[in-house]
Amino acid sequence: MGRAGRRRPPSSSMSAPADGRDGTESDGLSPARSEAWDQLIWLNEASASVGTTLDLQRTAKEFADFTVPRLADGCAVDLLESVLHGEEGARWTGSRPPVLRAMAVTQIDRLGDLEPDPVGEIATSDPTLVGMQCLMARKPVLISEIRPDEYERIAVTRSAAAQMRKAGVHSYMVIPLIARGLLLGLADFVRSGDRPPFTDTDLALAVQLASKAAVFVDNARLYGRERDHVVTLQRSLLPRTTPLTPGLDVSTCYAPSSDPGGVGGDWFDVVALPGGRTALVVGDVMSHGLPAAATMGRLRSVARTLMALDIAPERVLARLDLAARDLEEDQIATCLCVVHDPFDGSYTVVRAGHPPPLLVCADGTARYLDVPTGAPLGAGVIPYDPVRVPVEPGSRLVLFTDGLIKTRTDDVDTQLQRLLDAASGPRARDLDADGLIGTCPITAPRFDEAVMVVARSRSHEEGLDMGEWRLPDDGSAAGAARRLVRERLEHWRLTDLADVTELVVSELVGNALRYGSGPGHLRLLRHERLVVEVSDTGPDLPQIQHTTLSDEGGRGLQLINMLCRRWGSCRTPSGKVVWAEQDIPGTARPV
C-alpha cells in the first residue's frame, strides 16, 4: 500500500477496546497497563482470525483485513514469487530486488482512490522504494511523519504518490514477513486524516502481528508444496496418453482436489487388448497423501499386467483383491473394470465397491448401469459378478470416482442424480471428459480429487473394419477360413498380406480341430494392425512345442510366432480364443 500508494491507510493509535472497557483506573489498571492489556487481547484474536485456511492468498487477505481499521487505515501484503512456487526463500543478486506478487489490499473507504499494485499481479520492485529496502535488509521501517519529498520513496508511481497526498496519508510503516528464519514477503501500513501517526509502540505491535501472520503464511506454503508433490507423483503414475481403441473414442480427465489433504489415490487406465478389445479401469484408494498415491501406482501396475494377459475382468478384480491384501499399508480401494468388444459393441462390466458407470445413449437419455456392487479390493470378499451390456453406436459410457460427486453437505444419491441430469440431454451427449467434469454438480471447491473416463462407441463405418464368421466344425473349416480371409483382404486392398494370413488362419483352425473340438468363430479385424482370431471349446491354452528334425508336427505355432508381430490366447466362458497380429505396411506403429 505504502510502497506504491498501494497500501491502505490507518486509524488513530489502537481503536477502542473490543471488550467495552474505557481504559480508566475504574477497572483497576492504569491507562498504560490497560492499553497494553488491550493490545495483548487483540494479538490473541489474530490467531482465530488469520490463517483459518491453508490458502496463501486467503491467509494474506485475512491478515490485511484484521489490521484495518484497528491498527491502520490501509494495509497491503506482498509475497515473494519464489515462495509462491514452494522454494525456500528469496533469490536476488547484488542490488536487484526479488520478485514480489501482490496478494492482498485492504483500506478504509476514504482511501479507495489509492493506486496499489493489483492483487494477483507482479508488484513494482524499484530498489529505491522504502519497502524494497525493508525487504532486502529484513528490518522494519517506520516513517512516523511523511515529508513531502518522501511520498515518491513510498509509492510505486508518481500518480500513486499524488493520490496518497490527496488522501491525506501522513504516516507509514513496512514490516518484513519472516517465519522460521525464512523471508516470505512484506506488509506495509498507512494512516491518514486526523489519526495520530504511527509510534514505536505501533511498530512493535505490527512486528508481533506480522510474525504470527508469517507463520500462518509459511504453513500454507508448506501445505501447498506438499500438495504439489503429491499431485506431481499422482500425475506421473497415471497414463500420459491413451492407446488406439478400435470402436471407441476415449477421453480422460484428472481433477486434483483444492484441498491438499484430498490428493492421492484415484487412478484410471486404458489398455489395448488382443482382438481389438479395450479395457477401461477406474479406481480409488480409500486414503490420501503419498501413501495412497504409492498404493495406487502398485494396484494400477498389477491391473495393467493382468489385463495384458487378457484375463477376464472379474478375475482381474479377484487378483487385485489378493494384491491389495498383500500390501503392507493395509489399504483398501474401489475399482471399476470394463472391457469393450468392438465386434458386437458390448461392454463387460464388473465393479468392486465403486460407483456404477453412467450410460448416455445416442438420443441423450442417461441411466446408471445395474452392476452388482462387489466388495472393495482388499476386503477379501470375492468373487465379483460381471454384467454384459450391449450399446448402440454413439452411446457414451462414463466412468468416474466418487470425488466427482462427493460434497460435505449432500448425500450420494442426491449428487448421483445431479450428475445424471448434467449428462442428459442433446447438448451433453457431445461432451468429452474435460467438458463433462466441468459441468459436474459440485459448485463448492472440490475437497476430493476425481478422475473421469468417457468412452463413445463408434459405428463400423467410423474407421473400423472387421468381419466375423461361423466356421464349420469339420475338415472343410480350414479351406472356408482361407477363402473368407482372402476375399476380405482383397476388399480391404491388403492382398500383400493374404499369403501369410492364409497360412496363419490355417494353423489356428487346424489346432482348433485337433485340440479344441472344432473351430467356432473366425474374426478378422483391421485397425492399426491386422488381427486374426479363432475360437474353440477346448480348455487347454496352446504353447509352442520343442520339436526335432524327425517330428512331423508341432511347428504351427513356431511359424505363427515368426510370421506375426505377436500372438496369444485367452480363456472364454465357453472355451478359448487364439489370436495373432500382423503389422500393416505403411501404418505407423503406436507408441
Side-chain angles (χ1 to χ4, degrees):
M1 159 86 20
R3 300 194 340 257
R6 69 178 128 147
R7 321 297 177 171
R8 317 304 177 163
S11 40
S12 70
S13 277
M14 288 284 292
S15 300
D19 58 5
R21 293 186 290 108
D22 58 6
T24 65
E25 297 282 3
S26 60
D27 57 5
L29 297 175
S30 66
R33 296 183 63 186
S34 177
E35 182 179 358
W37 179 255
D38 292 337
Q39 291 173 353
L40 288 174
I41 293 176
W42 185 69
L43 285 173
N44 186 63
E45 291 173 354
S47 299
S49 302
V50 182
T52 60
T53 69
L54 290 168
D55 180 83
L56 274 171
Q57 187 162 1
R58 183 168 177 179
T59 300
K61 179 62 175 172
E62 289 172 345
F63 172 45
D65 290 345
F66 185 75
T67 61
V68 177
R70 288 290 298 272
L71 177 64
D73 288 340
C75 173
V77 179
D78 296 342
L79 296 181
L80 292 170
E81 186 75 0
S82 58
V83 169
L84 297 178
H85 293 159
E87 299 177 11
E88 295 285 350
R91 300 188 182 280
W92 71 88
T93 58
S95 60
R96 186 166 185 171
V99 179
L100 288 167
R101 188 173 294 273
M103 299 298 291
V105 174
T106 302
Q107 69 280 321
I108 60 176
D109 292 340
R110 72 168 179 266
L111 298 183
D113 293 333
L114 296 186
E115 299 177 6
D117 289 325
V119 172
E121 296 187 7
I122 297 295
T124 304
S125 56
D126 187 337
T128 64
L129 295 176
V130 175
M132 287 296 99
Q133 295 172 0
C134 160
L135 187 74
M136 299 174 72
R138 297 193 177 203
K139 294 181 180 180
V141 176
L142 170 64
I143 302 179
S144 184
E145 296 286 347
I146 304 176
R147 299 192 308 269
D149 61 338
E150 288 183 316
Y151 284 100
E152 281 73 14
R153 295 182 55 232
I154 296 173
V156 293
T157 64
R158 291 186 177 182
S159 174
Q163 289 294 338
M164 291 181 69
R165 293 191 192 94
K166 182 178 178 181
V169 174
H170 57 74
S171 190
Y172 171 76
M173 62 181 176
V174 56
I175 314 293
L177 299 177
I178 300 174
R180 306 179 180 99
L182 177 66
L183 179 63
L184 303 172
L186 58 82
D188 44 7
F189 310 87
V190 295
R191 282 183 178 175
S192 63
D194 57 359
R195 287 192 71 172
F198 290 120
T199 64
D200 290 338
T201 300
D202 294 322
L203 180 65
L205 185 65
V207 168
Q208 294 183 58
L209 180 61
S211 178
K212 282 177 171 285
V215 172
F216 296 135
V217 169
D218 196 40
N219 288 341
R221 177 190 68 86
L222 293 172
Y223 206 36
R225 187 173 66 175
E226 179 184 354
R227 175 185 181 274
D228 291 342
H229 289 169
V230 177
V231 170
T232 300
L233 174 62
Q234 181 86 344
R235 290 188 185 278
S236 68
L237 295 174
L238 295 176
R240 297 184 181 181
T241 60
T242 57
L244 295 174
T245 51
L248 286 181
D249 290 324
V250 179
S251 61
T252 62
C253 182
Y254 169 67
S257 165
S258 58
D259 181 356
V263 178
D266 288 21
W267 89 89
F268 68 88
D269 210 345
V270 181
V271 184
L273 302 180
R277 291 172 299 120
T278 302
L280 309 173
V281 184
V282 168
D284 183 4
V285 178
M286 293 184 179
S287 62
H288 301 289
L290 288 173
T295 299
M296 176 273 287
R298 295 177 182 178
L299 291 179
R300 180 188 169 231
S301 297
V302 173
R304 191 174 185 86
T305 301
L306 295 173
M307 284 294 182
L309 296 175
D310 207 8
I311 297 177
E314 62 272 18
R315 295 179 60 203
V316 169
L317 291 192
R319 299 285 182 88
L320 280 178
D321 176 81
L322 295 175
R325 279 186 277 169
D326 287 340
L327 295 178
E328 296 179 358
E329 290 81 359
D330 195 25
Q331 294 180 340
I332 61 176
T334 65
C335 188
L336 180 64
C337 184
V338 179
V339 173
H340 174 257
D341 190 335
F343 282 90
D344 57 11
S346 68
Y347 292 101
T348 300
V349 186
V350 59
R351 62 178 177 138
H354 203 83
L358 176 64
L359 179 63
V360 183
C361 299
D363 60 2
T365 59
R367 62 185 174 89
Y368 291 104
L369 297 182
D370 186 13
V371 182
T373 304
L377 305 177
V381 182
I382 51 178
Y384 299 97
D385 299 321
V387 172
R388 180 180 172 276
V389 182
V391 299
E392 296 294 329
S395 300
R396 291 180 306 144
L397 190 69
V398 181
L399 287 64
F400 57 93
T401 57
D402 62 0
L404 182 68
I405 59 172
K406 190 163 56 178
T407 70
R408 301 187 188 277
T409 56
D410 297 319
D411 59 44
V412 173
D413 291 338
T414 299
Q415 289 298 98
L416 284 172
Q417 183 60 46
R418 290 177 180 172
L419 177 61
L420 184 68
D421 295 339
S424 303
R427 184 186 66 84
R429 70 169 182 255
D430 296 326
L431 293 175
D432 58 7
D434 288 315
L436 190 55
I437 209 169
T439 61
C440 70
I442 295 181
T443 56
R446 193 184 310 281
F447 71 90
D448 192 7
E449 64 184 349
V451 300
M452 176 178 283
V453 176
V454 177
R456 185 184 75 88
S457 301
R458 297 199 307 259
S459 64
H460 293 178
E461 290 75 22
E462 295 183 84
L464 179 67
D465 292 317
M466 63 180 66
E468 182 176 21
W469 305 271
R470 176 73 186 183
L471 295 176
D473 57 0
D474 55 27
S476 65
R482 288 193 297 270
R483 175 179 52 81
L484 292 169
V485 164
R486 179 167 288 276
E487 290 176 352
R488 184 53 59 96
L489 291 182
E490 289 177 352
H491 177 69
W492 290 342
R493 299 181 180 179
L494 294 177
T495 53
D496 291 344
L497 299 178
D499 292 340
V500 172
T501 307
E502 284 188 39
L503 177 58
V504 169
V505 76
S506 294
E507 294 295 338
L508 295 181
V509 171
N511 280 341
L513 287 169
R514 186 174 298 115
Y515 305 111
S517 303
H521 287 84
L522 166 66
R523 285 182 172 183
L524 196 62
L525 171 69
R526 183 186 72 166
H527 194 47
E528 77 276 12
R529 300 191 186 103
L530 182 66
V531 183
V532 179
E533 278 190 4
V534 175
S535 64
D536 61 58
T537 57
D540 297 327
L541 299 180
Q543 295 182 351
I544 294 179
Q545 300 178 9
H546 296 284
T547 58
T548 64
L549 293 176
S550 60
D551 290 335
E552 295 183 359
R555 295 182 177 85
L557 290 180
Q558 293 181 8
L559 286 173
I560 293 176
N561 190 56
M562 290 187 294
L563 295 173
C564 297
R565 177 187 178 88
R566 62 174 183 162
W567 71 276
S569 60
C570 61
R571 299 188 187 278
T572 65
S574 59
K576 66 177 180 292
V577 168
V578 186
W579 52 270
E581 290 184 355
Q582 299 177 69
D583 289 323
I584 298 177
T587 301
R589 297 183 181 182
V591 179

